[in-house]
Amino acid sequence: MIIVLKKGADGRKVEELKKSLIERGLKLHLSEGLDTTLIGLIGDTTELQEDQFEALEVVESVKRIKEPYKKANRSMHPADTVIDVCGRKIGGGNFQVIAGPCSVETREQMIEVAEDVKRSGAGLLRGGAFKPRTSPYSFQGLGDEGLKLLLEAKKQTGLPIVTEIMRLGHLDLFEDVDVIQVGTRNMQNFELLKELGKLKKTILLKRGMANTLDELLMSAEYIMAGGNENVILCERGIRTFETSMRNTLDISAIPMLKKKTHLPVIIDPSHAAGIRFMVEPLTMAAIAAGADGVMIEVHNNPEKALCDGMQSLTPAMFDDIMQKVKKTTEFFGKVM
Amino acid sequence: MIIVLKKGADGRKVEELKKSLIERGLKLHLSEGLDTTLIGLIGDTTELQEDQFEALEVVESVKRIKEPYKKANRSMHPADTVIDVCGRKIGGGNFQVIAGPCSVETREQMIEVAEDVKRSGAGLLRGGAFKPRTSPYSFQGLGDEGLKLLLEAKKQTGLPIVTEIMRLGHLDLFEDVDVIQVGTRNMQNFELLKELGKLKKTILLKRGMANTLDELLMSAEYIMAGGNENVILCERGIRTFETSMRNTLDISAIPMLKKKTHLPVIIDPSHAAGIRFMVEPLTMAAIAAGADGVMIEVHNNPEKALCDGMQSLTPAMFDDIMQKVKKTTEFFGKVM
Amino acid sequence: MIIVLKKGADGRKVEELKKSLIERGLKLHLSEGLDTTLIGLIGDTTELQEDQFEALEVVESVKRIKEPYKKANRSMHPADTVIDVCGRKIGGGNFQVIAGPCSVETREQMIEVAEDVKRSGAGLLRGGAFKPRTSPYSFQGLGDEGLKLLLEAKKQTGLPIVTEIMRLGHLDLFEDVDVIQVGTRNMQNFELLKELGKLKKTILLKRGMANTLDELLMSAEYIMAGGNENVILCERGIRTFETSMRNTLDISAIPMLKKKTHLPVIIDPSHAAGIRFMVEPLTMAAIAAGADGVMIEVHNNPEKALCDGMQSLTPAMFDDIMQKVKKTTEFFGKVM
Amino acid sequence: MIIVLKKGADGRKVEELKKSLIERGLKLHLSEGLDTTLIGLIGDTTELQEDQFEALEVVESVKRIKEPYKKANRSMHPADTVIDVCGRKIGGGNFQVIAGPCSVETREQMIEVAEDVKRSGAGLLRGGAFKPRTSPYSFQGLGDEGLKLLLEAKKQTGLPIVTEIMRLGHLDLFEDVDVIQVGTRNMQNFELLKELGKLKKTILLKRGMANTLDELLMSAEYIMAGGNENVILCERGIRTFETSMRNTLDISAIPMLKKKTHLPVIIDPSHAAGIRFMVEPLTMAAIAAGADGVMIEVHNNPEKALCDGMQSLTPAMFDDIMQKVKKTTEFFGKVM
């Protein structure tokens, strides 16, 4: 971290600042220019905040040199993390497809979709029991009843399941869930992240729709700092000025996250686009850019779906895409 | 709501759609163009989702005509809502200043700041006991200890208090809190909103940093639909491409929200700008644009603040601004 | 287009509006709801502006149903447009790589890079003679001297050339240029677009960094309406809140543009990311998502480049990527 | 400027870099940390580009300390610039209202509006002769015929005029224009800016709809570097994710620009909001935040306006606002 001092800063206050920095165990390196004086901080600056120093009268600005995350940082952990969910590996060259309906609706729907996506080659089953909906008047999910149906589908097919948590109080209900999803609106629900850090279960952390990659990594760091290093990152489209699709898929997030972190990165093309016909090209782009997996919404009857029908694929469409996913991951040297 | 049908849509499927709409109690109005057929829906469309219809094979697109919120809608409730917090009125021509430190740090700090801001004319006292911090390594607030200090400051000064909730499990601790704040990262924490809807306490709902005004109103609607109509909306800056300030204050949100809703609207200039010198001009702009209040961070020693020191005012700076606030609200016809 | 009337709109004014619409040759279709009356306009609405009607006292809002572009619209021209530049085909299954330095610097540099990229398989040569630079103090390009060097490189290698125009007055200098590029900052320089519409040359139109896809198509429409239908669209990254890369590549623009228009779509991964290591994964993603080409910056000595060295590849890196591009385009069924 | 070297950077290459920096006349200051080495550059870094260094193999990143603009920088010119247009002063405590129709349509319209806005107290007259329109099928302005009508209105009323230039070739036509406006889409049309830098006329430079404040200042610097220091900056709303208004007025741009530069700053509330009812509150907010003027669209018959009728005020509405503008500028200590 570099602290840029104001021109003509009060010498006594500068000395105070330097003293307080040294007391934190940092070494200082001064650089005096014609009209700028810099203090370079040498040592562990992870726990420092830029704005702590920017508040000081003598400080002009603060520039961070090293990333504020440690456990998620690739420089601390050069090899790819490989997450194993009941034998399904994600990361380090292993690719997984997570598929299933946006929301769990009925027993028939859940079992039918689960069997369909398994047959087509999906490695994990998704389904929403608790649904974050913009409107209080929309279908809010079946709740614990939905979780039970999801667990039943797991039993029937052997597919490990992924589902979203929306409330700490529900944590007990998630005991048999294999992967707990933190949705885009909860990426900075720090109280939730702290509790998930105490588990050993895999956490699928979705990027907030207007959060930077560094913020995503800081949220992963919350979970990892608590002791749970089983985190999968998920890019699901960000909010921009473009209106012809629901969100803008940030495909560059894949290579950039791969550089910054050792954690696996997957893509959710269904939510990114919000429109059925874009799921295939975005899935192919994700594989080509180096993603470790994709999460795709599939519904046995998208026209009757209680949620997100517009972006859901039929089992037949999904099966068609899966044939291409198999060939494309192989072409790009991934193992499914 | 208007449903635009695809050119050459299958007649049988269109009939099914029409039948299902009529079963929901809606009246239909058909309009056939050269190559476009529209179905206008007449009746209560609040509970309909655009994407439910966009998923259908026969549908080209869906256009919403009426807003999806009811209780927050000014058309349902033309008069301004006036919120009364222990005798302090907000809305309907009444203006309030909420002031205090970003986070509660010590007993001395809290009492000192509380007495200072009271003397300068603040109507309510703010202070964070539970703090949402991007980094797990940053100061996370004093927690319930902080809440106690805040309540002590309330007792000492008589100022009603505003503080943020971050976890449903803490709700019991908030019994003596006058206004519960929902922070920007929790604006779409729907489980939290639902529980707050069961209270009678005033809720200060901050706009998410990348949420539209309609989404803010839908979150207010969650609280109101639960039975709690005491909601104050707060614009605190949105996330844009501009990097010279922390966030971009959306000043137009004031007149636009005033048109859409009857709820009071306040501004948080401290978080919007993130820099001390901008608090005064943004406060003046907020009053001029018609806000019902402002929330300002004040710290007895900003240089030592554990959080957001860069944007905090000293009690003397705050006192200076308050003199201007009093004159300016009077000039614009508001009562303080 | 649908005009939504205000509740209780003055009947006489509504009649005036209806009369004026009929005079424009439109048929009207009225739909009266409980508290909303809609006027559906049947006929050619391309020349109508939403805001023309929104200005009226009796109008609540206006919803456009059909796109405001005609010549660029796929519905008017279902087959892919194939652009032929001196025998190099772009679009309709044909893929081209455009490569070369950000700016033309010296004769040696230009000839060397041209021969290198040709050897590696590039189909067209790029190079900037006139450079749009944010700072007046930065290198502004060699100007017409640069153009001459570019033409010399064309002569030497036989590669058709692509270069950017920044000023109408320069048009004469571009006589032997094969593809004229309109840069991101000029996408809505309508006077320039109008003049380019009078040429027969191929225009490479880059998306403005904060322009929607519909606006990009309207700019293409300016050129096409003038009579020049040889337009290639180029997505080069959009401006968002993310700061870890220069711009956010909107990969979804490929399938979405392919749906909206028949024009070829290429990607500029160098400018999108602004960082060398991301060029390869973004190029692969572009091919996988269905792009008709890519434009890549190559410099014989990136460390000495006068512009954009950070994102330029060395000829060796480019050659390596080209081997992958050849295999990948073949895998995805494109012809290079 | 600070150059952060990569860990383990090749010593010989670092020496080369240092040598080349010294040859540019800079002094270097080295700071070696545990695993980071920094080079501080002392001297004039205005002409250096961050990315020039970021391209180097040995460089990790580059941090700019000083702004890249000189002539527009308040640190070089602490006093406010006061622009005088035919006796109307803008800046340094002087406030002006520029008013008139979006586009010049007829002689009657222009004269009528000019007389109306003069009577109400406007200091300058605006009107568009050349109009930048998104669609080639929209009304494009009357062109030089429009300019003549505008000049006639000037003659009739004595009001100096402001109008937009869209093409360098038109420059001759602007000889009698008092203030030349550079529109939002041309803020980075650097060829245009360079030519305007050769004039002595006042330039009204509108912020690009997705340009940062630093980019706006760099565009002003283009004009000033050419020798023309008569530049007025105009904030007119930026592009964000919010859809309930045309653009998001960045009110914070006023105090931030005032800190960064000595140039006058005005606001265009009509284009920012795009809706008539918001013009008044945004005008009041602009005054309160410290703007040096506003530019407001007025039409004698907004319902018949060929452009932007939705945001245009009638002369009566404008007169009403002007009464408030006079009192409010006085209240905030500005001279009109």
Side-chain angles (χ1 to χ4, degrees), chain C residues 49 55 57 133 135 137-138 140 167 185 188 191 194-195 210 215 218 221-222 239 276 303, chain D residues 49 55 57 133 135 137-138 140 167 185 188 191 194-195 210 215 221-222 239 276 303 310:
Chain C
Q49 302 273 301
E57 204 189 302
R133 304 302 301 271
S135 166
Y137 309 119
S138 297
Q140 306 276 319
R167 190 175 186 146
R185 291 170 187 78
Q188 292 194 318
E191 294 296 308
K194 282 179 197 169
E195 292 302 319
E215 286 170 342
M218 288 311 288
E221 189 83 11
Y222 258 96
R239 189 160 266 193
R276 209 174 286 148
E303 303 217 347
Chain D
Q49 302 273 302
E57 203 189 303
R133 305 302 302 270
S135 166
Y137 309 120
S138 297
Q140 305 276 318
R167 189 175 187 148
R185 289 170 189 79
Q188 292 195 317
E191 294 296 310
K194 283 179 197 170
E195 292 302 320
E215 287 170 342
E221 190 82 11
Y222 258 96
R239 187 160 266 193
R276 210 174 285 149
E303 303 219 346
M310 195 187 170

Side-chain angles (χ1 to χ4, degrees), chain D residues 131-265:
Chain D
K131 299 297 307 170
R133 305 302 302 270
T134 305
S135 166
Y137 309 120
S138 297
F139 172 60
Q140 305 276 318
L142 293 184
D144 47 0
E145 198 47 49
L147 254 184
K148 279 182 208 152
L149 296 177
L150 198 56
L151 288 166
E152 210 180 316
K154 173 188 175 177
K155 208 171 156 189
Q156 192 99 358
T157 58
L159 290 178
I161 58 174
V162 182
T163 194
E164 181 169 353
I165 192 162
M166 283 183 61
R167 189 175 187 148
L168 269 181
H170 289 161
L171 212 47
D172 290 348
L173 302 172
F174 281 67
E175 209 179 315
D176 296 322
V177 168
D178 303 287
V179 178
I180 301 182
Q181 177 178 316
V182 176
T184 189
R185 289 170 189 79
N186 278 316
M187 191 202 91
Q188 292 195 317
N189 183 336
F190 302 119
E191 294 296 310
L192 180 61
L193 300 178
K194 283 179 197 170
E195 292 302 320
L196 297 177
K198 297 176 186 165
L199 308 181
K200 287 287 152 245
K201 248 184 234 307
T202 296
I203 309 301
L204 176 58
L205 180 65
K206 292 189 121 182
R207 180 181 185 184
M209 96 187 86
N211 286 109
T212 63
L213 296 178
D214 278 356
E215 287 170 342
L216 173 61
L217 290 169
M218 288 311 288
S219 286
E221 190 82 11
Y222 258 96
I223 301 168
M224 299 172 87
N228 183 357
E229 307 212 344
N230 301 309
V231 180
I232 300 170
L233 304 173
C234 179
E235 156 64 28
R236 44 78 73 210
I238 58 174
R239 187 160 266 193
T240 68
F241 59 83
E242 175 61 48
T243 52
S244 67
M245 29 216 167
R246 187 188 291 185
N247 291 112
T248 298
L249 180 67
D250 180 4
I251 195 83
S252 313
I254 303 171
M256 187 50 95
L257 284 172
K258 290 278 168 195
K259 193 174 184 228
K260 288 172 175 272
T261 186
H262 50 88
L263 297 171
V265 178

Side-chain angles (χ1 to χ4, degrees), chain A residues 18-242:
Chain A
K18 282 156 67 177
K19 207 178 135 212
S20 82
L21 291 165
I22 290 165
E23 280 166 3
R24 283 166 184 270
L26 296 163
K27 282 196 175 177
L28 310 189
H29 205 294
L30 255 77
S31 166
E32 289 189 43
L34 284 182
D35 41 28
T36 322
T37 301
L38 312 176
I39 306 179
L41 308 188
I42 300 164
D44 182 1
T45 58
T46 323
E47 298 182 25
L48 299 183
Q49 302 272 303
E50 287 93 316
D51 60 5
Q52 246 173 307
F53 300 112
E54 284 170 334
L56 301 181
E57 204 188 304
V58 296
V59 173
E60 177 70 37
S61 63
V62 179
K63 313 271 169 184
R64 183 174 272 285
I65 305 294
K66 287 214 230 143
E67 303 84 1
Y69 44 91
K70 284 190 281 202
K71 301 210 159 208
N73 203 322
R74 190 179 279 275
S75 71
M76 305 291 179
H77 186 313
D80 283 353
T81 284
V82 180
I83 304 259
D84 187 314
V85 183
C86 313
R88 273 76 175 175
K89 288 186 177 140
I90 307 180
N94 301 284
F95 190 93
Q96 290 295 340
V97 177
I98 305 169
C102 174
S103 63
V104 182
E105 293 166 14
T106 64
R107 198 181 168 285
E108 291 64 35
Q109 168 234 26
M110 212 46 241
I111 302 289
E112 197 178 316
V113 173
E115 286 180 339
D116 283 337
V117 301
K118 188 189 178 188
R119 200 176 308 120
S120 300
L124 295 98
L125 178 66
R126 62 150 287 158
F130 301 97
K131 299 298 306 170
R133 305 303 301 271
T134 306
S135 166
Y137 308 120
S138 298
F139 172 60
Q140 306 275 319
L142 294 184
D144 47 358
E145 198 49 48
L147 255 184
K148 279 181 208 153
L149 296 177
L150 198 56
L151 289 166
E152 207 179 319
K154 173 189 174 176
K155 207 171 157 189
Q156 192 100 359
T157 58
L159 290 177
I161 57 173
V162 182
T163 195
E164 180 169 353
I165 192 163
M166 284 183 60
R167 190 174 186 147
L168 269 180
H170 290 160
L171 212 46
D172 290 348
L173 301 171
F174 281 67
E175 209 179 315
D176 297 321
V177 168
D178 303 287
V179 179
I180 300 183
Q181 176 178 319
V182 176
T184 191
R185 290 170 188 77
N186 278 316
M187 191 202 90
Q188 291 194 319
N189 183 336
F190 302 119
E191 295 295 309
L192 180 60
L193 301 178
K194 283 179 198 171
E195 292 301 320
L196 297 177
K198 297 177 186 164
L199 307 182
K200 286 288 152 244
K201 246 183 235 309
T202 296
I203 309 300
L204 176 58
L205 179 65
K206 292 189 122 184
R207 181 180 184 184
M209 99 187 84
N211 286 108
T212 64
L213 296 178
D214 277 356
E215 287 169 343
L216 173 60
L217 289 170
M218 289 310 289
S219 286
E221 190 82 11
Y222 258 97
I223 300 169
M224 298 172 87
N228 183 358
E229 307 211 345
N230 300 309
V231 179
I232 300 170
L233 305 173
C234 179
E235 155 65 27
R236 44 77 72 209
I238 57 174
R239 187 160 267 194
T240 68
F241 60 83
E242 175 61 48

